Amino acid sequence: MKIKLSALFLAVFALATVAGCKRDSKHGPVVAKVGNDSITAEDFKKRLDETSPFLRARYNTVERKKEFLETLIRNELLAQEAERQGLDKSPAVREQAKRAMIQELIKKQLDEKLSGNDIADNELKGFYDSHIEDFVKPERARVYHILVAAKDPKEKAPAKKKAEALLKDINERIRKGEVNAFQSVAMKESQDPTSAPMGGDLRFVSKDELTRSYSAELANAAFDLKNPGDVAGPIETPAGVELVKLQVKTPSVNRSFEESKEGIRGRMARERRSKDYDDFVKKLRDNGKVSIDEVELAKVVPSEPATPGMTALPHGMPSAFPASAKVGGK
């Protein structure tokens, strides 16, 4: 009678096959024999360590450990039966084995360099210097403003009066629950042709950038604001009279090279790994005699989506045990 095995079990057996050695070729104390194969203490500990700390704490006596061992024995018996039935050569197992081999290849070929311990300090410092804006940043703020233009000193008084009226209108709108009151008034009333269409939005700027683009008076007023939503003004500036609203502030950052070094090491290692992966795959492709039949490719039609309510098996790697296995069960 044939035993119907789940796809998860087939995948597990594939991983055991890819490992490249039978249990009876291992050395060390044996905790159980299953036919001609053995489960070593090393096997047992490895599987036990893969469980959650909560479950692991449960196996603190010989009887409890025997419960867990029974699961490993059950898996071994099923694996041996699957091999006797030739399921190690099935397409499903071969596909899972291929995925496992790819993971092992990438780990061996690339991931062992991921620590970046071989990256010299002068390389790390060079990265720091060339990306200094990532480690040293001034305080920045996103602000909105409304300009009532008045370059002539005689125009300042009426401009200030208008700005006061606009501020009163904004506050009344806010009291009535209008969230974007400042922006709405800016779009209609601001005389700054660049920012008015965007509701007075000056985007994220540092104090120096705002000073250079507009004025020191506007920059000082904007960066004196403490809380999101606060409004300052009327403010007399070279361009006229202005109102300014703080949307949000980001704090300054000033990390030294020594403070940033290990983070840089990880970043450089990841970037190097990505490049090494691309180069490695390109080399394999160049030497792999790859060809594509576009005519046959065009004939491939994907299946219709699954009917709602049907559950598909996950595409990733399976768990270490069959879904039907119950730890300690019979």
Side-chain angles (χ1 to χ4, degrees), residues 19-40:
C21 63
K22 287 278 191 179
R23 283 200 167 92
D24 58 6
S25 68
K26 295 180 180 178
H27 300 286
V30 172
V31 294
K33 286 186 175 294
V34 186
N36 294 325
D37 290 340
S38 301
I39 299 175
T40 66

Side-chain angles (χ1 to χ4, degrees), residues 86-323:
L87 295 178
D88 55 322
K89 299 177 177 62
S90 75
V93 170
R94 291 170 66 87
E95 179 61 28
Q96 292 293 344
K98 189 182 296 184
R99 293 182 191 180
M101 286 191 293
I102 289 169
Q103 288 184 344
E104 287 297 311
L105 176 64
I106 290 174
K107 181 180 177 181
K108 177 178 180 293
Q109 192 75 25
L110 302 171
D111 289 354
E112 291 174 359
K113 300 178 181 178
L114 198 54
S115 67
N117 291 331
D118 59 328
I119 302 176
D121 276 11
N122 64 325
E123 292 183 70
L124 298 173
K125 184 63 165 63
F127 186 98
Y128 177 85
D129 291 339
S130 61
H131 296 80
I132 191 66
E133 67 280 357
D134 292 343
F135 309 102
V136 179
K137 301 177 184 179
E139 181 183 43
R140 301 176 75 82
R142 187 173 186 180
V143 296
Y144 296 81
H145 86 133
I146 296 172
L147 169 66
V148 181
K151 292 188 177 181
D152 191 315
K154 295 178 181 179
E155 298 174 338
K156 288 291 176 76
K160 184 176 181 180
K161 188 174 181 180
K162 182 175 180 181
E164 289 172 344
L166 293 177
L167 181 59
K168 184 177 179 181
D169 181 31
I170 289 168
N171 288 333
E172 182 63 20
R173 288 173 181 237
I174 292 173
R175 188 183 68 78
K176 292 179 179 179
E178 185 177 337
V179 177
N180 296 317
F182 192 98
Q183 292 93 312
S184 297
V185 172
M187 290 182 71
K188 183 178 179 183
E189 302 290 349
S190 180
Q191 294 173 303
D192 176 7
T194 303
S195 68
M198 299 181 292
D201 190 1
L202 300 180
R203 304 187 184 280
F204 271 100
V205 288
S206 67
K207 191 172 183 178
D208 285 345
E209 289 169 338
L210 190 54
T211 298
R212 289 195 300 270
S213 299
Y214 286 86
S215 68
E217 293 84 353
L218 181 63
N220 288 334
F223 279 82
D224 282 344
L225 295 171
K226 303 299 182 186
N227 303 308
D230 285 353
V231 176
I235 308 150
E236 290 194 17
T237 68
V241 180
E242 303 187 51
L243 303 174
V244 62
K245 173 189 173 183
L246 173 66
Q247 185 72 8
V248 68
K249 265 185 185 178
T250 59
S252 61
V253 176
N254 189 8
R255 293 199 296 270
S256 68
F257 168 65
E258 286 302 322
E259 291 172 320
S260 308
K261 185 164 70 172
E262 292 312 310
I264 293 171
R265 187 186 307 280
R267 182 170 165 182
M268 289 184 70
R270 288 190 297 273
E271 290 178 359
R272 181 176 64 181
R273 181 195 184 280
S274 180
K275 182 181 182 304
D276 287 351
Y277 174 79
D278 291 340
D279 292 344
F280 182 57
V281 172
K282 183 179 183 303
K283 181 180 177 181
L284 292 176
R285 186 179 179 86
D286 290 343
N287 297 329
K289 299 179 181 178
V290 177
S291 64
I292 296 174
D293 190 327
E294 294 188 6
V295 174
E296 291 301 321
L297 181 64
K299 296 176 184 177
V300 178
V301 179
S303 302
E304 291 295 324
T307 304
M310 292 182 65
T311 303
L313 287 174
H315 185 65
M317 297 304 294
S319 65
F321 301 107

